[in-house]
Amino acid sequence: MHEEQTLSDLLASFFYEKGHLSIPGLGTFRLEGAPAPAGDGAGHPGERVVLFQDNPGEPEDPELVDFITARTRKMRPVAQSDLLSLSGQARESLNMGQSFT
């Protein structure tokens, strides 16, 4: 049984699994650098950096939509709509100078 995850949770999971996240109409986040060694008991995240490339024309990432549909069991058009809705909310917040998590 799948536990209920929010779209934000799914985007975070995708980002950390794949090392990139493209949000339609916003841009692309990339995770660069080396993760901490597996035996590192200090709990350090390693030398990883999150980079963002602004691109208002960023297209929809089919791999991301597949990831969402596989984990939510939503039909593809519904997953696409959810992603576009989140993208629109993010753009509105950022245009008003507010942060968006």
Side-chain angles (χ1 to χ4, degrees):
M1 175 186 268
H2 291 267
E3 68 180 58
E4 192 73 24
Q5 289 186 318
T6 66
L7 183 55
S8 295
D9 293 338
L10 292 170
L11 295 178
S13 294
F14 181 87
F15 178 62
Y16 286 110
E17 282 182 29
K18 305 294 183 177
H20 64 90
L21 175 66
S22 297
I23 305 292
L26 284 179
T28 301
F29 292 91
R30 295 207 183 284
L31 188 58
E32 293 190 358
D40 183 11
H44 297 287
E47 298 295 322
R48 301 192 89 175
V49 177
V50 175
L51 303 174
F52 177 71
Q53 177 64 49
D54 179 35
N55 181 4
E58 185 71 40
E60 178 184 284
D61 181 357
E63 183 182 18
L64 176 58
V65 175
D66 290 343
F67 184 87
I68 294 168
T69 58
R71 282 157 182 79
T72 62
R73 298 183 184 166
K74 290 182 178 181
M75 295 185 327
R76 188 173 186 80
V78 175
Q80 290 169 314
S81 177
D82 287 351
L83 185 57
L84 290 175
S85 177
L86 178 125
S87 175
Q89 291 170 1
R91 279 193 312 270
E92 286 178 21
S93 292
L94 294 171
N95 283 336
M96 293 187 299
Q98 298 175 354
S99 62
F100 186 82
T101 304

